[in-house]
Amino acid sequence: MTSIKKLSLLTIALFLIYACSSEEKIEFPEGLDVVDTEVGTGTAVAENDFVKVHYTGFLAEDNTQFDSSLDRGTPFSFQVGSGQVISGWEKGLIGMREGGSRTLTLAPEFGYGERGAGNVIPPNAQLIFEIELLEVISYPELWDYSDDELTETESGLRYKIVTEGEGEPLQAGDVAELFYAGFLEDRNMFDSSIRNPSAFYYEVGTAQAIPGWNEGVTGMRVGEERHLIIPSSLAYGEDGVGDIIPPDATLYFMVRIEGLQQENQ
């Protein structure tokens, strides 16, 4: 073997060692057993990320299935670290990569503890969850923009098409699956579809939303993403909404059309 070939093989070996060692090893607490049945290749889950998963839950004692998102045909979404789910999930999904599958075995203190959950999960039950990580969405942040990037309508709505969509434009009566995140001028996010445990559907042109939202979404196509800047006159005006949206607030939305609801759904 020539010295060049030897050097190449050594370089590859060192690269592989570095790549493997660069993955931070996560220590899970006692009572939380984590096994990656398939290691994903996408983004790794971190605190405050939003995730979309499919899961099936079993009672460890007799392997009885008590719940599954697969049976419902609808993925489950939540924000890691927000307290929306049991602590075994909050801790056990950290570091899991998008596209991977992981099995969690939870001692009772990481599940439903001494109380259990209704007639489904008995007190002090050890639980097993098989989880498939479909998507990781980092905590949304208000985008930066310049006025010359925006299109302004007669009503005062301003928007920018970030990603072009495909198919027919949305019109009144269409029901679309949306991703959205809404921000105030101070850059704080006040609402987002990814806080919902299941997909968010919206009927275009109804009183379900503020006028600026209706105008901004009408005409979008599947796959399209827009940034909307909605003046208070097209939002909640001088009243605002409780402690969430102050009076006379301009609202900033990122909106993406994920798909259309079919008539037979």
Side-chain angles (χ1 to χ4, degrees):
M1 183 181 290
T2 67
S3 59
I4 294 177
K5 289 182 178 178
K6 289 180 180 178
L7 179 60
S8 298
L9 291 174
L10 177 60
T11 302
I12 292 170
L14 289 173
F15 172 80
L16 291 174
I17 291 170
Y18 172 78
C20 293
S21 62
S22 64
E23 281 287 332
E24 182 181 351
K25 184 172 176 59
I26 298 170
E27 296 292 337
F28 295 101
E30 186 177 352
L32 173 57
D33 185 54
V34 176
V35 176
D36 283 311
T37 52
E38 182 176 346
V39 178
T41 57
T43 304
V45 177
E47 189 86 2
N48 293 323
D49 282 346
F50 292 85
V51 297
K52 182 184 291 185
V53 303
H54 266 310
Y55 71 92
T56 303
F58 304 89
L59 300 178
E61 182 179 15
D62 55 9
N63 210 39
T64 298
Q65 177 182 315
F66 61 83
D67 191 18
S68 177
S69 63
L70 292 167
D71 292 345
R72 293 186 293 275
T74 303
F76 178 76
S77 301
F78 69 97
Q79 184 182 10
V80 177
S82 66
Q84 291 176 269
V85 295
I86 55 178
S87 64
W89 275 41
E90 297 272 29
K91 300 176 187 298
L93 265 66
I94 296 294
M96 186 179 180
R97 289 193 170 274
E98 191 176 85
S101 297
R102 177 172 283 188
T103 299
L104 306 179
T105 303
L106 312 180
E109 60 267 28
F110 293 106
Y112 296 92
E114 296 179 354
R115 299 181 62 179
N119 297 322
V120 179
I121 298 174
N124 297 311
Q126 186 181 38
L127 306 177
I128 298 173
F129 287 97
E130 295 175 353
I131 298 175
E132 179 186 358
L133 182 55
L134 305 176
E135 188 176 5
V136 179
I137 304 173
S138 298
Y139 193 88
E141 295 183 352
L142 180 62
W143 67 94
D144 294 318
Y145 66 92
S146 59
D147 289 337
D148 59 4
E149 298 176 319
L150 304 172
T151 299
E152 185 168 354
T153 69
E154 291 183 3
S155 68
L157 171 73
R158 293 185 292 165
Y159 70 93
K160 175 184 177 182
I161 298 176
V162 181
T163 304
E164 297 283 352
E166 298 179 346
E168 294 297 318
L170 294 182
Q171 56 186 346
D174 286 339
V175 179
E177 180 185 351
L178 299 183
F179 161 80
Y180 73 87
F183 305 86
L184 299 174
E185 209 155 13
D186 61 6
R187 307 187 75 87
N188 282 323
M189 187 175 77
F190 64 85
D191 190 20
S192 177
S193 61
I194 50 180
R195 285 177 171 160
N196 295 319
S198 57
F200 174 79
Y201 289 96
Y202 168 71
E203 184 175 350
V204 180
T206 67
Q208 184 182 354
I210 55 178
W213 175 275
N214 264 325
E215 182 182 352
V217 170
T218 300
M220 292 183 69
R221 305 169 190 267
V222 173
E224 183 174 331
E225 181 173 327
R226 287 187 184 183
H227 290 169
L228 310 178
I229 302 178
I230 303 176
S232 63
S233 59
L234 298 176
Y236 296 99
E238 60 184 16
D239 294 329
V241 180
D243 297 329
I244 301 173
I245 298 175
D248 300 314
T250 297
L251 304 182
Y252 302 78
F253 282 95
M254 53 177 65
V255 183
R256 183 173 64 248
I257 308 299
E258 304 283 29
L260 293 178
Q261 187 180 59
Q262 302 301 313
E263 291 183 2
N264 60 356
Q265 284 186 313

